[in-house]
Amino acid sequence: MSGATKMSGEAKDELLQAVAEAAREGEKEARRRDIEKGLRTIDAILAASDAEFASRQFLLARVLEFGVRRNPWKNMAPWTRHQNASAFGLMQIPSEFADFLFHLARLDIRTAVEIGVMSGASSYMICAVLQRANPGVEYLMVDIQDNIIGYDVFAKRLNLRKTVPATSHGVIGQEFDFVFIDADHSYMGAKTDWLNVGRHARKAVAFHDIHAHEYDDRNGGVVRAWNEIKTALVGDHVVLEFAHSPARWMGIGLAIRQG
């Protein structure tokens, strides 16, 4: 006979509950540490000297310091050591985001809106860079759900406000210096955000996931929308693409208005 004691159903349930609670507490602690790290990064950007702020290497170092969110994406393998312990962090190849921020910082942006913010990590980093360049910048976060992490503590340092739940229909026709579109990744979703607010951007408009072919089954997704829009903008805008994955994945498209 085995000397093992058979566990009752009630005991098993209690054990599973204890394991689940420990996992939740572990996630909460990991998130707390990642938020604190993010705040330190924001403070470093806001306090950057002119020489530091003019350096692409400085911005890349801050992006890596902020960290990417915990994820299973194989295309992020080169950046694994910069992956956060929690689900809070950037959803972007770090070098792409750093190059994007480097160009954005030079546009004297005073008003900005991000359509689709998810956890808010990209909003915090973008706002910090724009605020370092222009302390009076106003940054609006728009999303259909409030999954934003750490908003209250980041908003104490940054000129943020949020409109949730909402879509680009809530700001239709309004003009901002900069518009960042990262919401519904279907073709019609991206085009709608463009028509509602993106085309009215006074200085620049950007699209996230310009190489996100996983959305191609949504009538061509963001890839199709961006390709059509950037073609139409050539001439009036300088069009830049930040895409560093050999797999042609993620990427950011930035169109800067000329004149």
Side-chain angles (χ1 to χ4, degrees):
M1 290 180 61
S2 170
T5 302
K6 188 174 182 180
M7 185 179 291
S8 68
E10 184 177 344
K12 285 182 179 178
D13 288 344
E14 290 178 353
L15 178 60
L16 290 173
Q17 288 175 7
V19 170
E21 179 61 27
R24 285 193 292 270
E25 289 301 316
E27 174 66 19
K28 284 170 60 176
E29 177 59 21
R31 179 179 293 185
R32 183 190 65 78
R33 291 196 301 268
D34 289 338
I35 288 174
E36 288 182 352
K37 180 161 62 78
L39 290 169
R40 290 194 298 272
T41 304
I42 295 305
D43 288 342
I45 293 172
L46 294 176
S49 67
D50 289 346
E52 287 174 328
F53 194 60
S55 166
R56 185 257 189 191
Q57 206 58 35
F58 172 82
L59 291 176
L60 177 58
R62 300 291 73 75
V63 170
L64 295 174
E65 180 181 67
F66 194 97
V68 298
R69 63 174 294 175
R70 185 183 64 221
N71 64 76
W73 305 319
K74 64 180 181 179
N75 291 326
M76 289 292 281
W79 310 98
T80 299
R81 67 191 182 94
H82 301 290
Q83 189 174 120
N84 288 344
S86 75
F88 175 72
L90 298 167
M91 293 180 65
Q92 191 67 52
I93 292 173
S95 57
E96 293 177 353
F97 204 66
D99 285 351
F100 167 60
L101 294 176
F102 180 80
H103 285 82
L104 206 58
R106 282 136 189 81
L107 300 181
D108 189 28
I109 290 166
R110 299 175 184 273
T111 58
V113 62
E114 184 171 345
I115 309 296
V117 302
M118 203 165 182
S119 71
S122 61
S123 303
Y124 303 149
M125 285 294 285
I126 296 171
C127 185
V129 168
L130 297 183
Q131 191 168 318
R132 169 57 183 80
N134 181 2
V137 72
E138 298 176 359
Y139 199 97
L140 177 61
M141 303 164 68
V142 177
D143 206 297
I144 59 172
Q145 294 182 320
D146 196 345
N147 295 314
I148 301 171
I149 296 172
Y151 176 82
D152 290 341
V153 291
F154 280 97
K156 290 179 180 178
R157 289 167 164 82
L158 299 170
N159 302 338
L160 298 164
R161 61 187 179 92
K162 63 178 180 177
T163 299
V164 181
T167 67
S168 63
H169 291 293
V171 289
I172 190 168
Q174 293 185 37
E175 291 189 4
F176 298 86
D177 288 341
F178 172 63
V179 176
F180 188 29
I181 295 174
D182 188 19
D184 184 342
H185 281 44
S186 69
Y187 171 75
M188 284 308 302
K191 282 297 289 284
T192 297
D193 291 338
W194 159 254
L195 293 171
N196 283 349
V197 66
R199 63 180 171 145
H200 301 293
R202 287 186 288 253
K203 295 192 175 182
V205 60
F207 281 76
H208 189 236
D209 285 331
I210 59 171
H211 293 301
H213 290 286
E214 60 267 34
Y215 300 101
D216 285 355
D217 60 349
R218 301 184 188 183
N219 202 18
V222 182
V223 176
R224 177 187 170 197
W226 168 248
N227 284 336
E228 290 182 1
I229 290 166
K230 75 173 183 181
T231 299
L233 291 179
V234 170
D236 295 328
H237 293 70
V238 174
V239 177
L240 305 172
E241 293 186 346
F242 312 105
H244 301 166
S245 171
R248 302 296 281 174
W249 177 67
M250 278 200 175
I252 301 174
L254 176 64
I256 302 170
R257 190 180 294 275
Q258 298 189 86

